[in-house]
């Protein structure tokens, strides 16, 4: 037993070195997803019923695709169309598109919490519809979305491990490689699990804390005295 | 002389039901045009049509001679000259008081920040919002303070006319006075105003003209004396009797 832990120690830095790949990939996917999510929200809010339906349909289709399938579609599909695509980029793209669908749902559900009178009063001082969205509606949606977005990010962080399947050398991939070298999966996998857990747990605690703080002082708690 | 807003044979339907039925009226420069009428009579709808927040289904709206309802006219260009104050203040919740007031001058007029700040300070001073409140958020203010900030936000755009939609009816009675006071001061400075209100005392002392609206129609229009104290139409009389009744409630002690 002790010897097995000892044989793992020299390889820890290999896993830790790959942590930045995991973080870079999750941030890239999240940022892309954020852009897509915000764009979909805007299009959906200001388009006619037909376009809104089409966007909803698109979101449903995207959300129905498993991440692994999405990564394969991009990584093996693009070359079939004549483009080579680096695996890191394929992973960021696939995660970003999927996350975009989820993030647009987050935004949409919170759009209802922003009163339409906020929109009316920004139109009233002479802003265009786009400016009202950009400066008044979206910042409020965003503020309310922060806890849900943090949770979405923790999901993305863990999902980076799926990029193993297309050969991205992120943290999980490296733990598998180390396992193969020392011929035991136990400690490398426990070790990466602990890292995922630590980051996700800290972020969830932060999300829960913010959730209570971000409701403009109009929270239900105040009314029911909770 | 100097017609600012003209409403010409305007209709609005919701779910197939007419809520504004062919209303025409004119607001001249310097007018304090007060609109009274029962709940659901179409007052808010009429007011929102004046800056085209609500688009009429029939009829025309003119602002300083320009037909806003014309398909060639972009109403966004004209809204900045027409201030509006809502019943529920509708301040931007994610901005401080100061940013609320600076926002229009900066984003709509493209003013520089320091210049906009001067305009905002003057506007806030004119509605008696003290410096201590400038960096607070709307949720930290009383209703009366929020409504006065909302007035300052509209004034900072230097509008040609101010529309008020029951600005005091969401306020506790002890807070209505401070808002009405600010509106009286505005009137004294010569601001053209259109005010939907149930405050008959305000109407009597400030209005230059009063229109009584019922079921989407102008029943009667005239000077405060004519409408409040010698109404010709039975419907006007019945409404005013109900309203005066509210003022006549005697304390029980
Ligand atoms: N966006 C809307 N959709 C459907 N019906 C509406 C809408 N806005 C107003 N109405 C209806 O039109 C009628 C007139 O409404 P409006 O708000 O103009 O009345 P009001 O005179 O301002 O009443 P109050 O004194 O209660 O504010 C009401 O019956 C109302 O329900
Ligand atoms: Mg109303």
């Amino acid at each position: 037993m002790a010897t097995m832990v000892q044989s793992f120690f020299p390889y820890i830095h290999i896993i830790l070195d790959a942590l930045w790949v995991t973080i870079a990939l999750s941030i890239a996917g999240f940022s892309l997803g954020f852009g897509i999510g915000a764009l979909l929200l805007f299009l959906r809010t200001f388009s006619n019923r037909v376009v809104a339906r089409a966007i909803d349909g698109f979101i449903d289709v995207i959300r129905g695709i498993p991440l692994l399938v999405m990564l394969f579609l991009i990584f093996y599909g693009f070359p079939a169309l004549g483009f080579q695509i680096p695996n890191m980029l394929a992973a960021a793209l696939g995660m970003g598109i999927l996350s975009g669908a989820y993030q647009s749902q987050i935004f949409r559900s919170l759009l209802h919490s922003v009163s339409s009178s906020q929109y009316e009063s920004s139109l009233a001082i002479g802003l265009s519809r786009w400016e009202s969205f950009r400066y008044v509606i979206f910042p409020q949606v965003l503020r309310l979305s922060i806890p849900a977005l943090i949770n979405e990010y923790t999901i993305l962080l863990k999902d980076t491990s799926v990029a193993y399947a297309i050969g991205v050398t992120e943290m999980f991939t490296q733990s598998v490689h180390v396992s193969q070298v020392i011929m035991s999966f136990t400690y490398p996998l426990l070790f990466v699990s602990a890292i995922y857990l630590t980051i996700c747990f800290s972020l969830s605690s932060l999300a829960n804390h913010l959730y209570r703080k971000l409701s403009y002082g109009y929270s239900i708690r105040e009314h029911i005295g909770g | 002389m100097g017609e600012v807003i003209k409403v010409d044979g305007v209709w609005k339907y919701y779910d197939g039901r007419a809520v504004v039925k062919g209303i025409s009226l004119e607001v001249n420069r310097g007018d304090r045009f007060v609109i009274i009428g029962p709940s659901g009579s179409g007052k808010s709808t009429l007011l929102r049509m004046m800056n085209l927040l609500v688009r009429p289904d029939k009829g025309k709206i003119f602002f300083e001679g320009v037909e806003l309802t014309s398909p060639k006219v972009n109403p966004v260009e004209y809204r900045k000259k027409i201030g509006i104050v809502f019943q529920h203040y509708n301040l931007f919740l994610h901005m401080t008081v100061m940013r609320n007031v600076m926002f229009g001058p900066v984003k709509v007029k493209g003013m520089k920040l320091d210049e906009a700040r001067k305009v905002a300070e003057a506007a806030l001073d004119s509605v008696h919002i003290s410096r201590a409140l400038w960096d607070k958020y709307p949720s930290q203010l009383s209703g009366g303070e929020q409504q006065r900030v909302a007035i300052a936000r509209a004034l900072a755009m230097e509008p040609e006319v101010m529309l008020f939609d029951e600005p005091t009816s969401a306020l506790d009675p002890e807070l209505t006075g401070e808002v009405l006071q600010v509106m009286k001061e505005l009137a004294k400075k010569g601001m053209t105003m259109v005010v939907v209100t149930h405050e008959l005392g305000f109407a009597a002392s400030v209005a230059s003209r009063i229109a009584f609206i019922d079921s989407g129609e102008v029943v009667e229009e005239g000077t405060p004396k004519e409408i409040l104290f010698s109404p010709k139409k039975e419907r006007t009389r019945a409404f005013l009797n109900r309203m005066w009744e509210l003022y006549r409630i005697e304390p029980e002690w």
Side-chain angles (χ1 to χ4, degrees):
Chain A
M1 198 62 156
T3 52
M4 230 188 274
V5 177
Q6 275 163 14
S7 69
F8 170 52
F9 277 152
Y11 297 99
I12 282 182
H13 74 274
I14 293 181
I15 295 178
L16 284 179
D17 284 349
L19 177 58
W20 76 267
V21 180
T22 291
I23 288 174
L25 181 56
S26 59
I27 289 176
F30 183 83
S31 309
L32 180 60
F34 182 84
I36 293 175
L39 181 69
L40 288 176
L41 178 76
F42 174 70
L43 291 176
R44 202 189 172 286
T45 310
F46 291 109
S47 54
N48 59 39
R49 213 163 282 179
V50 180
V51 179
R53 277 278 169 77
I55 290 171
D56 286 348
F58 173 74
I59 290 172
D60 284 341
V61 168
I62 296 291
R63 291 203 307 162
I65 302 174
L67 177 59
L68 184 60
V69 176
M70 182 66 104
L71 296 193
F72 276 26
L73 274 175
I74 293 173
F75 189 58
Y76 298 112
F78 268 66
L81 297 173
F83 309 99
Q84 288 301 323
I85 182 165
N87 53 9
M88 180 78 176
L89 183 61
L93 212 55
M95 294 178 68
I97 293 170
L98 265 178
S99 185
Y102 283 107
Q103 290 189 49
S104 80
Q105 295 295 92
I106 291 172
F107 295 147
R108 205 183 130 194
S109 67
L110 287 163
L111 186 63
H112 299 296
S113 317
V114 177
S115 162
S116 63
S117 55
Q118 291 284 311
Y119 179 55
E120 190 175 44
S121 49
S122 54
L123 289 182
I125 61 167
L127 262 65
S128 67
R129 299 194 320 167
W130 158 248
E131 289 166 333
S132 302
F133 180 83
R134 162 85 178 69
Y135 297 116
V136 176
I137 305 304
F138 193 64
Q140 294 189 37
V141 170
L142 187 57
R143 185 190 157 113
L144 295 169
S145 306
I146 288 171
L149 289 179
I150 292 175
N151 287 328
E152 168 69 10
Y153 176 76
T154 64
I155 293 171
L156 273 170
L157 183 84
K158 287 178 286 180
D159 277 356
T160 51
S161 57
V162 176
Y164 165 75
I166 56 173
V168 176
T169 50
E170 44 69 54
M171 190 171 66
F172 172 71
T173 306
Q174 293 303 63
S175 76
V176 172
H177 290 163
V178 169
S179 303
Q180 287 161 346
V181 172
I182 66 171
M183 291 187 296
S184 163
F185 277 91
T186 317
Y187 292 104
L189 290 189
L190 280 178
F191 183 70
V192 284
S193 300
I195 294 180
Y196 287 126
L197 184 72
T198 308
I199 300 176
C200 291
F201 181 76
S202 326
L203 289 175
S204 315
S205 312
L206 177 67
N208 283 333
H209 173 71
L210 290 174
Y211 191 70
R212 273 178 258 122
K213 284 193 68 176
L214 289 175
S215 44
Y216 293 117
Y218 292 127
S219 78
I220 285 180
R221 270 163 178 277
E222 279 167 33
H223 294 291
I224 59 176
Chain B
M1 170 218 95
E3 162 198 296
V4 181
I5 287 176
K6 183 171 156 191
V7 174
D8 184 12
V10 151
W11 290 73
K12 184 70 198 175
Y13 298 84
Y14 282 121
D15 312 318
R17 189 171 61 93
V19 298
V20 172
K21 305 170 187 166
I23 287 183
S24 298
L25 47 87
E26 281 168 33
V27 180
N28 292 320
R29 195 163 303 286
D31 263 350
R32 283 90 54 202
F33 196 107
V34 168
I35 297 171
I36 59 174
S39 181
S41 56
K43 305 180 299 293
S44 298
T45 307
L46 174 64
L47 202 72
R48 281 168 167 73
M49 287 197 286
M50 292 181 184
N51 63 355
L52 249 64
L53 280 179
V54 170
R55 188 171 272 279
D57 295 316
K58 252 189 281 175
K60 294 174 180 172
I61 306 281
F62 295 86
F63 171 74
E64 296 186 330
V66 179
E67 191 202 328
L68 299 187
T69 38
S70 157
K72 289 188 219 102
V73 169
N74 182 1
V76 173
E77 290 302 308
Y78 293 89
R79 285 200 193 111
K80 58 186 171 211
K81 299 180 185 168
I82 307 173
I84 186 166
V85 173
F86 301 98
Q87 184 174 358
H88 295 286
Y89 343 124
N90 301 357
L91 291 174
F92 301 125
L93 299 174
H94 60 308
M95 299 180 192
T96 61
V97 164
M98 181 48 86
R99 291 225 19 238
N100 259 282
V101 182
M102 287 173 65
F103 182 68
V106 172
K107 291 296 183 226
V108 178
K109 289 186 159 179
M111 229 179 245
K112 292 217 181 64
L113 285 180
D114 50 345
E115 201 184 336
R117 186 165 174 108
K118 279 196 202 106
V119 171
E121 284 177 2
L124 285 166
D125 282 340
S126 78
V127 299
H128 315 302
I129 290 291
S130 67
R131 239 155 236 275
L133 299 179
W134 289 0
D135 294 320
K136 296 229 188 302
Y137 284 87
S139 59
Q140 298 170 297
L141 268 54
S142 77
E145 288 162 347
Q146 289 190 56
Q147 192 60 297
R148 285 183 287 137
V149 174
I151 294 172
R153 177 176 68 178
L155 289 176
M157 294 299 290
E158 292 164 336
E160 297 294 323
V161 52
M162 288 280 287
L163 313 178
F164 293 85
D165 188 4
E166 299 195 37
T168 59
S169 60
L171 297 175
D172 293 335
E174 71 268 24
L175 299 178
T176 59
E178 63 190 49
V179 172
L180 292 176
Q181 181 56 36
V182 163
M183 292 171 66
K184 282 180 190 162
E185 289 167 13
L186 257 184
K188 254 194 215 120
K189 287 180 207 154
M191 175 63 78
T192 310
M193 299 161 72
V194 182
V195 184
V196 174
T197 187
H198 292 298
E199 298 284 340
L200 296 187
F202 175 84
S205 62
V206 176
S208 56
R209 298 193 70 73
I210 299 184
F212 169 62
I213 291 185
D214 192 12
S215 316
E217 293 167 316
V218 176
V219 175
E220 202 168 344
E221 190 196 319
T223 64
K225 236 186 191 159
E226 288 165 349
I227 301 297
L228 297 178
F229 303 109
S230 52
K232 292 192 186 63
K233 299 278 168 57
E234 184 47 44
R235 277 153 88 188
T236 317
R237 237 173 274 151
F239 173 75
L240 288 171
N241 276 337
R242 282 201 307 279
M243 294 297 290
W244 293 127
E245 201 75 7
L246 294 176
Y247 285 88
R248 253 188 241 124
I249 292 172
E250 303 275 338
E252 305 231 332
W253 57 84

